[in-house]
Amino acid sequence: MIQDNRFRLVRAATLALSEPLSVEDYVVQSMPDASPAKWHLAHTTWFFEEFVLQHAVPGYKFYDEQFRYLFNSYYNTIGPMHSRPLRGLLSRPTVEQVLAYRARIDERMQVLLQRDDLSPEILSVIALGLNHEQQHQELLLTDLKHLFSCNPLLPAYVREAASHPSRSSPALSFKSFDGGLIEIGHAGNGFSFDNELPRHRTYTQPFRLANRAVTNGEYLEFVRAGGYENPVHWLSEGWTVVGREDWKRPIYWSASLDAEFTLTGLRELSPSSPVCHLSYYEADAFAHWAGARLPTEAEWELAANEAPLRGNFVENRRWHPEPAASATAASKSASPLLQMFGDVWEWTQSAYAPYPGFKQASGALGEYNGKFMVNQLVLRGGSCATPASHIRASYRNFFNAAARWQFTGLRLAEDISWAAPNFSGGSRKAATPSV
């Protein structure tokens, strides 16, 4: 019955996130990387029908054969699919029909979950489907935020949110780690995606990691210092993107640099809150300007194992990253590391690649992660839009280096031999590299 209860909770959470929407909000697609809300509701339902019900129910008949084409995302093994950039053209099936589809598949799944003869393989796929849906809950919010930001009225997803603390963030400091031969990857207790496996040994040099995420105020110094105008801070490809896309500041910041668009509408820029919606290029450029670097994913995981798994997640209904609490207020733990989980996904400098010994599953589900292990960077820690039960220290998120619409930020790292980063009102300059 545990699976049945979790199934109900996860599916209900998706519908709860959809409640503030009007019918018109469900259908529009703001860019090729995003999907309409209606599509998210249908695709997460398609997953259970395609990968669970047809294999677990003898003689299973699909709800609608056309849905197998419309709501397949990228599983080429299953068959053709509707073009991702054109999902916003699907005015039919209607929102009402998609909700009816969800309700019917939920009924069928709940009947299935009453059985006591389900194979370990089927139970494993159900667990995967629920975690897949939680990923889409976050994508639903980030896609809606991008959609609303394209509207000149700047509508809010929700007007009322829990009160936002006005506290200042703790001073930036660094914790030292000896490094050495360590183990990373999922330890084997509970669910994990295949990209977190196998657990393996790796080596890290001694390093230091910042006690919290970089704030809006710190990033504002970079912007005002001409950070988007000086190629010395940027990777070559990043500098090309800055020029081509005319980037001058984070995607949701106002031109006046005193406000940012959020899921609760336009609000005053909070200097103490973590900066978010940064691409990898922007995160790396800031770290370079600050005289530091991004951590590797092995460094991040080593540090995260010392931090409590709690933070500002979607269940908090804050809808935006918040300033770090002081170590005393946040925890009685001796760890000075704050915001390791929740608030913002943190870019690492690690390429998204298979772990040593990684084995891609056979069949269509082998396409879930493995085929994306190229031209992506790893992010860690979850965000304010991530379900709390979805995250863990070994979780590997990944996006391409130019992606900006997720709740992505950064935490600084440095080699033990480096001087601590210094923010001085935009006067800091990186040395010009020799060529």
Side-chain angles (χ1 to χ4, degrees), residues 289-409:
W289 172 82
R293 62 173 174 85
L294 299 178
T296 67
E297 65 170 324
E299 290 170 341
W300 192 98
E301 187 170 327
L302 173 63
N305 286 328
E306 297 187 6
L309 209 169
R310 58 171 173 264
N312 175 23
F313 296 111
V314 70
E315 290 86 355
N316 297 66
R317 294 302 193 257
R318 304 287 193 179
W319 311 116
H320 201 68
E322 297 191 330
S326 67
T328 301
S331 172
K332 295 182 180 179
S333 166
S335 172
L337 297 176
L338 308 172
Q339 298 176 309
M340 291 298 288
F341 300 100
D343 283 310
V344 291
W345 288 101
E346 297 179 6
W347 286 107
T348 74
Q349 62 173 262
S350 298
Y352 180 53
Y355 281 162
F358 172 78
K359 302 294 184 185
Q360 187 166 316
S362 60
L365 286 176
E367 298 186 60
Y368 196 102
N369 281 315
K371 72 179 185 180
F372 298 110
M373 290 178 171
V374 64
N375 299 329
Q376 316 265 359
L377 282 302
V378 174
L379 302 102
R380 294 298 194 109
S383 82
C384 59
T386 306
S389 64
H390 187 63
I391 201 66
R392 54 198 162 270
S394 61
Y395 193 110
R396 305 174 79 201
N397 198 0
F398 57 94
F399 278 95
N400 68 75
R404 305 174 91 196
W405 89 108
Q406 298 301 303
F407 284 99
T408 47

Side-chain angles (χ1 to χ4, degrees), residues 12 15 125 155 241 303 326 414:
L15 292 180
V125 177
V241 174
S326 67
E414 57 185 22

